[in-house]
Amino acid sequence: MTSANEYPYGDLREYLAELDRRGLLVRVTRPVDKDTELVPLVRLQFRGLPEAERKAFLFENVTDGSGRSFEGTVVMGAFASSRAVYTTALAAKPDEVAGRWAAALANPVEPVVVETGPCKENVLTGQSLLDFRGVDGFPHPISTPGFDPAPFLTAPYWITKDPEDGTYNVGIYRGMVKGPDRIGLQMDTPTQHIAIHLAKARRLGKKLEAAVVLGAVPAVGFAGAQKIPFGVSEYAVAGGLMGRPLEVVRCEIVDLEVPAHAEIVLEGEIDPEHLEPEGPFGEASGYMGPQTTSPVFRIRCITHRTAPVVQAFISEFPPSESTLMRKIAFENVYLRFLKQACNINAVQRFVTHESGTCNMFFVIQLKNPTPGQARQALYAASGYEASMGKTIIAVDDDVDPEDLNAVAWAMSFRMQPARDVTVLPGKLPRLDPSAAEDGSLSSALLIDATRKRPYPPTSLPAKEFMERAQDLWQELGLPELTLAEPWHGYELGAWSDADRQAAADAARGRYAGS
């Protein structure tokens, strides 16, 4: 793989070619109906294959429910259908992912403006935009056929500038296709950065100019999905991931800059005072979300490459491409926050779980925490984002935070509810049907499942005996093992010399009654 300053992809197409070369891309050449067949086909691998076997899908012959055919292609699962796909998109080895994110967040690289780019190959305004059918001229899939009322943009990069200081934001927010020149904007919570931009525009009595990018170099999508502080430009974080400036070009009719090698760019504005019904839509919670009211993006110009690649994320029911992409991104940003910003050096790992959409269920692993550190980490993680962290559990470093069986073991025998459980009210609900509609029942559950005193050893054979057993297992030709942690016994402080001696004697056949 390349180093951070040799990011190999100049656009989405170069990246897809690399996926193809690595055998991580399924090309579908037969006609596929984007409204009824496309997403269900990709969904099957998330319900029926191990994560390591999942791939990206490129549909080269797309139709719709009315029999229309489309110029261009649709790609789905191209960023995070598996960890192999994700690391290819990041151009990093698996053990380099955390370091790549840490370097990008610590050393962002501002974009550079270029004169023009492939995204300007076709420019549609006025009647030409309507003749093309506008945004509906591209093959946007229906994500949850049988339940969704329309196609939605699921991988749009919404580009806006802060109306007060001009700082860029790149965010991924779904958009309901409402007509050739209209897209809904669903932000989920008022803490989303585009929502803050809209609130500022409302106070200033202005409409908010925006551009929606569909299909760009993977670093842009990764930065847009990351939870970074408000006011930090995702363009610069994308540059940090690439180790070089992102090339951007000025829009045709709005005062914004977009990736020069984007596949499709929609330009227009959002009236913060105008809301319309939006949804329902299949959500990452695993349930259909309700119909809501949301702002509307009015499209005034479309620029696009010839035969563009329309990118869509597969989200909805977890696990999905969206949850794996969030998992890897969120774990790195939260770990950096707890260790550096909060100075909790005992924190070893921060793990999110895809079944909780990577927003709701966190596990923090700590090594030899001093009194109070586990609770400090729990409170800090809860406070990072108002809508994230419904259940947060702290465990010791001998507990694998990825393994929910291990986490349940820690909660069962290292935690007392009256002493170690805290309920925090006032959390912001996020796609959670268990919350009251007014948000009054949203709260966080913090659980300190770390050891508070010395414990007896774990009740597994000691390491030397388990290692001998592994040799015997291989000698007997038994199936290959994937050992769960812990796979051998170890001491946890409450074990005496007499206990050790008695166990050693027993292993040599010398014990009471022998």
Side-chain angles (χ1 to χ4, degrees):
M1 300 295 291
T2 60
S3 64
N5 61 357
E6 296 175 332
Y7 190 75
Y9 316 123
D11 61 13
L12 180 62
R13 300 180 188 203
E14 290 183 3
Y15 165 61
L16 295 180
E18 179 64 14
L19 282 182
D20 199 13
R21 189 184 72 81
R22 292 172 177 269
L24 293 171
L25 183 70
V26 177
R27 289 183 175 271
V28 181
T29 58
R30 58 149 285 175
V32 173
D33 186 332
K34 74 177 185 64
D35 296 329
T36 61
E37 296 178 325
L38 193 152
V39 174
L41 183 67
V42 181
R43 173 63 63 191
L44 285 175
Q45 70 172 345
F46 287 90
R47 305 311 303 163
L49 287 180
E51 180 249 285
E53 296 180 22
R54 302 198 299 248
K55 299 180 180 182
F57 278 69
L58 181 66
F59 296 89
E60 299 178 322
N61 189 347
V62 184
T63 65
D64 72 0
S66 67
R68 267 197 305 167
S69 295
F70 296 84
E71 181 187 13
T73 58
V74 175
V75 67
M76 180 168 274
F79 281 4
S81 53
S82 68
R83 289 179 182 272
V85 171
Y86 184 98
T87 54
T88 302
L90 197 62
K93 297 177 182 176
D95 61 358
E96 294 173 342
V97 171
R100 185 68 56 81
W101 270 111
L105 294 167
N107 303 289
V109 179
E110 293 296 331
V112 59
V113 180
V114 296
E115 188 66 26
T116 189
C119 71
K120 301 289 189 178
E121 286 177 0
N122 301 273
V123 179
L124 306 174
T125 58
Q127 190 59 46
S128 66
L129 187 152
L130 297 176
D131 290 343
F132 181 75
R133 299 186 65 162
V135 67
D136 201 35
F138 303 107
H140 307 292
I142 290 181
S143 294
T144 323
F147 300 100
D148 287 353
F152 285 74
L153 311 187
T154 56
Y157 310 146
W158 292 78
I159 317 297
T160 56
K161 283 196 298 189
D162 190 306
E164 294 176 348
D165 64 18
T167 304
Y168 271 85
N169 178 67
V170 182
I172 301 174
Y173 318 104
R174 77 163 189 257
M176 180 179 180
V177 177
K178 294 171 171 284
D181 61 351
R182 296 165 62 248
I183 299 172
L185 167 62
Q186 177 56 266
M187 300 168 288
D188 294 338
T189 70
T191 58
Q192 298 282 23
H193 295 176
I194 196 172
I196 297 173
H197 285 186
L198 275 169
K200 290 185 176 186
R202 183 183 299 111
R203 289 194 295 269
L204 294 170
K206 296 180 177 180
K207 294 180 180 180
L208 182 67
E209 290 189 327
V212 173
V213 171
L214 298 168
V217 67
V220 174
F222 285 161
Q226 182 59 281
K227 286 293 181 186
I228 62 178
F230 180 73
V232 176
S233 169
E234 284 82 1
Y235 277 165
V237 173
L241 288 172
M242 296 190 298
R244 66 170 187 267
L246 174 72
E247 290 188 349
V248 295
V249 65
R250 291 183 176 86
C251 285
E252 295 291 308
I253 62 172
V254 295
D255 184 23
L256 292 168
E257 294 156 1
V258 293
H261 292 80
E263 295 291 325
I264 302 168
V265 178
L266 315 175
E267 302 180 22
E269 59 193 14
I270 306 167
D271 183 349
E273 300 290 349
H274 178 76
L275 303 177
E276 290 184 5
E278 195 271 354
F281 182 73
E283 298 290 2
S285 61
Y287 303 95
M288 292 298 296
Q291 185 182 80
T292 60
T293 56
S294 66
V296 175
F297 175 58
R298 293 196 173 271
I299 302 165
R300 297 171 52 204
C301 177
I302 296 177
T303 69
H304 68 91
R305 298 182 69 165
T306 300
V309 181
V310 174
Q311 184 174 11
F313 291 146
I314 185 161
S315 186
E316 300 81 57
F317 199 96
S320 70
E321 178 184 18
S322 294
T323 55
L324 182 56
M325 188 160 61
R326 285 198 297 268
K327 176 179 175 62
I328 297 171
F330 291 179
E331 288 178 355
N332 283 288
V333 78
Y334 268 87
L335 181 64
R336 183 172 182 266
F337 169 70
L338 293 175
K339 290 181 73 71
Q340 297 185 15
C342 300
N343 196 32
I344 311 174
N345 58 3
V347 173
Q348 300 297 295
R349 295 177 64 189
F350 185 94
V351 168
T352 69
H353 282 269
E354 291 188 74
S355 55
T357 74
C358 302
N359 293 323
M360 308 293 274
F361 195 97
F362 302 159
V363 184
I364 307 171
Q365 185 193 67
L366 301 99
K367 183 175 183 179
N368 300 323
T370 58
Q373 274 193 320
R375 194 164 291 267
Q376 179 192 4
L378 291 167
Y379 276 95
S382 177
Y384 184 82
E385 162 59 45
S387 66
M388 295 175 60
K390 181 179 180 180
T391 302
I392 311 178
I393 304 166
V395 298
D396 296 294
D397 67 329
D398 66 325
V399 174
D400 181 356
E402 291 278 9
D403 183 349
L404 289 178
N405 285 324
V407 174
W409 174 54
M411 290 176 60
S412 298
F413 301 109
R414 300 184 184 187
M415 175 272 292
Q416 284 295 322
R419 180 191 65 198
D420 298 320
V421 173
T422 302
V423 176
L424 292 180
K427 292 289 284 186
L428 189 64
R430 188 187 188 96
L431 303 176
D432 183 357
S434 73
E437 290 186 7
D438 63 0
S440 61
L441 295 183
S442 292
S443 52
L445 179 66
L446 311 184
I447 302 173
D448 179 0
T450 60
R451 299 186 305 273
K452 315 302 185 297
R453 58 180 175 80
Y455 267 44
T458 53
S459 52
L460 288 164
K463 186 176 182 180
E464 62 180 297
F465 304 109
M466 289 297 281
E467 288 177 335
R468 291 179 194 171
Q470 287 183 71
D471 293 338
L472 180 57
W473 183 277
Q474 293 178 355
E475 179 184 322
L476 294 172
L478 296 173
E480 184 176 351
L481 295 168
T482 301
L483 295 174
E485 294 288 347
W487 59 271
H488 63 80
Y490 49 91
E491 295 183 17
L492 291 169
W495 203 239
S496 67
D497 287 341
D499 292 328
R500 264 180 230 104
Q501 187 60 55
D505 289 343
R508 289 191 287 268
R510 297 196 293 268
Y511 46 89
S514 63

